């Protein structure tokens, strides 16, 4: 990702939501070892967790922090996003120096002071107690190459720079700028910014398996999800499997019960015509409804399946591979949601790639 960016642009690793389910502390430590010292999180608690575990560098809170918790910003050396003008005024009234980045709403209509409220933006920059170290926006359709979405993204970018120019013409120094998230980098790498906020691509995945981008990069998935076979049983034709009796065996079958379910983050609706897992290097279809703690698979034609065997929910087994993007698409969601919902009771085992330095 860094190789397609201007040399002056720094990498801001987005490690919110437990680093998209990968484990925020472990991921951030590895990034520190790789020379990354700028991070983005969603909440104060996420930032505090990183600091308590020795993560070095700048940590930007992208979301709202309640006024009662503002003292923790200084205590843990965190940077707060100014979510709008009224929030800036509240921070200013505290009367203490607070490190911030200013968010500009250019059309996402989530957080940020509107690009059209120039007087409010100037007033934010005029706050004496706010140490403004950055200004940024978020692109709502950067993942799409449809002409209408590209036009809207260009409009957002134009709105952002127009607001910056007006702030600058009023005599205020413009701090470090960041616009792009993962797809902003992949589709608009030419933007001259000081940071890029890389999220899902950092973990070697796209949001959708069919996504096309202007720039092609070799993304390697960081996460594989595996579980154990807890039981193997034979059932006669005509018997039903799992809740609701929706799946009925059309022939005598061998069923393996796998110790993972929707409480672990696997979507309950992951079962459709392509709902599969890998075992012994073969694809095995999921049968019956996914339960809270278990799911069942058809291993009738896969020899030697036994209790304790490893099942790959997504990842690689032999020459076969199921990607997180495919599982997400089968579940009518995006990879970002799928991986960030991985439950805490799944043990995370970290293995450094042999080519990693």
């Amino acid at each position: 990702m860094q190789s397609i960016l201007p040399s002056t642009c720094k990498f801001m690793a987005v490690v919110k939501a437990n680093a998209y389910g990968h484990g925020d502390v472990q991921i951030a430590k590895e990034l520190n070892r790789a020379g990354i010292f700028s991070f983005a999180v969603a909440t104060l608690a996420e930032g505090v967790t990183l600091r308590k575990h020795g993560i070095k560098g700048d940590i930007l809170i992208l979301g709202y922090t309640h006024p009662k918790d503002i003292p923790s910003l200084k205590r843990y050396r965190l940077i707060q996003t100014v979510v709008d003008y009224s929030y800036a005024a509240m921070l200013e009234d505290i009367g203490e120096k607070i490190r911030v980045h200013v968010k500009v709403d250019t059309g996402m209509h989530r957080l940020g002071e509107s690009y059209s409220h120039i007087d409010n933006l100037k007033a934010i920059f005029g706050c004496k107690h706010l140490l403004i170290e950055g200004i940024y926006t978020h692109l709502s359709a950067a993942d799409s190459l449809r002409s209408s979405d590209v036009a809207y993204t260009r409009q957002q970018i134009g709105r952002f720079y127009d607001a910056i120019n007006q702030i600058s013409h009023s005599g205020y120094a413009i701090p470090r700028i960041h616009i792009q998230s993962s797809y902003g980098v992949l589709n608009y790498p030419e933007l001259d910014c000081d940071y890029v906020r890389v999220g899902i691509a950092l973990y070697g995945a796209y949001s959708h398996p069919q996504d096309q981008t202007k720039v092609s990069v070799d993304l390697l998935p960081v996460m594989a999800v595996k579980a154990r076979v807890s039981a193997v049983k034979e059932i006669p034709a005509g018997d039903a499997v799992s809740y609701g009796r929706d799946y009925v065996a059309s022939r005598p079958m061998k069923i393996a019960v796998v110790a993972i379910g929707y409480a672990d983050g696997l979507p309950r609706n992951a079962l459709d015509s392509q709902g599969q897992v890998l075992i012994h290097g073969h694809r095995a279809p999921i049968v019956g409804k996914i339960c809270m703690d278990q799911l069942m698979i058809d291993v009738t034609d896969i020899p030697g399946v036994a209790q304790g065997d490893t099942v790959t929910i997504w990842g690689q087994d032999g020459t076969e591979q199921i990607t997180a993007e495919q599982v997400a698409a089968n579940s009518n969601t995006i990879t970002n949601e799928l991986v960030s919902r991985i439950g805490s009771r799944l043990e995370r085992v970290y293995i450094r790639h042999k080519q990693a330095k």
Side-chain angles (χ1 to χ4, degrees):
M1 293 292 288
Q2 186 75 62
S3 69
I4 65 176
L5 297 171
S7 59
T8 57
C9 185
K10 293 184 178 180
F11 199 98
M12 182 184 290
V14 181
V15 293
K16 63 181 180 178
N18 198 27
Y20 288 54
H22 292 67
D24 53 0
V25 171
Q26 292 85 350
I27 292 295
K29 284 183 177 180
E30 188 66 20
L31 289 167
N32 267 176
R33 283 192 284 268
I36 303 299
F37 294 97
S38 295
F39 299 93
V41 296
T43 67
L44 173 69
E46 291 177 338
V48 170
T49 295
L50 295 183
R51 281 290 188 240
K52 286 184 174 180
H53 286 86
I55 302 305
K56 297 178 175 62
D58 290 337
I59 301 175
L60 172 64
I61 299 171
L62 299 172
Y64 170 82
T65 298
H66 192 276
K68 69 178 178 62
D69 296 321
I70 295 301
S72 292
L73 296 174
K74 186 173 183 179
R75 178 180 177 184
Y76 292 101
R77 308 181 312 285
L78 304 173
I79 305 170
Q80 175 61 45
T81 287
V82 174
V83 300
D84 57 22
Y85 170 70
S86 63
Y87 192 71
M90 181 276 295
L91 295 176
E92 177 72 2
D93 287 343
I94 292 174
E96 295 185 10
K97 298 293 185 181
I98 300 173
R99 299 172 67 194
V100 300
H101 282 207
V102 177
K103 179 75 175 289
V104 180
D105 180 6
T106 56
M108 177 80 170
H109 298 314
R110 198 168 58 179
L111 296 179
E113 184 60 42
S114 174
Y115 72 96
S116 63
H117 297 166
I118 296 299
D119 288 342
N120 283 351
L121 289 169
K122 292 177 183 177
I124 292 171
F125 272 80
C127 291
K128 296 180 180 179
H129 296 102
L130 300 187
L131 302 176
I132 300 177
E133 300 180 2
I135 184 168
Y136 71 102
T137 192
H138 192 73
L139 305 175
S140 59
D143 59 334
S144 171
L145 294 180
R146 290 185 305 180
S147 58
S148 59
D149 289 330
V150 171
Y152 189 73
T153 299
R154 292 294 182 191
Q155 186 178 52
Q156 279 193 272
I157 295 168
R159 288 169 173 174
F160 180 68
Y161 280 111
D162 182 63
I164 285 179
N165 288 335
Q166 292 192 59
I167 294 169
S168 176
H169 289 158
S170 296
Y172 296 109
I174 300 302
R176 288 168 288 187
I177 293 171
H178 44 112
I179 300 175
Q180 303 133 295
S181 55
S182 292
Y183 282 93
V185 175
L186 295 171
N187 287 328
Y188 302 90
E190 72 280 0
L191 295 179
D192 186 14
C193 296
D194 298 291
Y195 291 114
V196 292
R197 306 181 305 272
V198 182
I200 190 63
L202 176 65
Y203 307 100
Y206 294 97
S207 293
H208 305 93
Q210 72 276 15
D211 281 344
Q212 300 294 317
T213 57
K214 290 181 182 177
V215 178
S216 178
V217 293
D218 185 19
L219 296 181
L220 300 176
V222 174
M223 176 194 290
V225 174
K226 299 176 184 290
R228 297 283 185 186
V229 171
S230 52
V232 180
K233 56 186 62 183
E234 296 182 0
I235 62 171
D239 270 19
V241 178
S242 196
Y243 288 115
R245 304 179 66 250
D246 293 335
Y247 182 86
V248 178
S250 60
R251 59 172 179 160
M253 297 179 67
K254 183 183 291 185
I255 300 296
V257 182
V258 184
I260 189 172
Y262 62 77
D264 301 297
L266 187 64
R268 191 169 182 262
N269 65 338
L271 171 60
D272 62 8
S273 60
Q274 298 183 43
Q276 301 175 330
V277 298
L278 302 177
I279 183 168
H280 291 193
H282 297 276
R283 291 176 176 265
I286 301 171
V287 295
K289 286 187 171 69
I290 293 174
C291 308
M292 180 179 284
D293 315 302
Q294 313 281 343
L295 61 83
M296 281 67 76
I297 60 175
D298 178 6
V299 295
T300 307
D301 300 320
I302 302 175
V305 174
Q307 190 176 65
D309 283 355
T310 298
V311 176
T312 300
I313 309 303
W314 64 79
Q316 188 150 353
D317 183 356
T319 59
E320 291 284 353
Q321 182 180 32
I322 295 174
T323 67
E325 290 98 325
Q326 291 167 343
V327 176
N330 289 345
S331 308
N332 296 315
T333 187
I334 59 174
T335 313
N336 312 48
E337 180 182 6
L338 179 69
V339 295
S340 64
R341 288 176 58 184
I342 292 299
S344 59
R345 70 183 182 182
L346 287 187
E347 180 187 6
R348 286 156 174 78
V349 178
Y350 297 91
I351 303 170
R352 184 168 291 148
H353 192 277
K354 63 182 179 180
Q355 293 181 355
K357 295 180 180 180

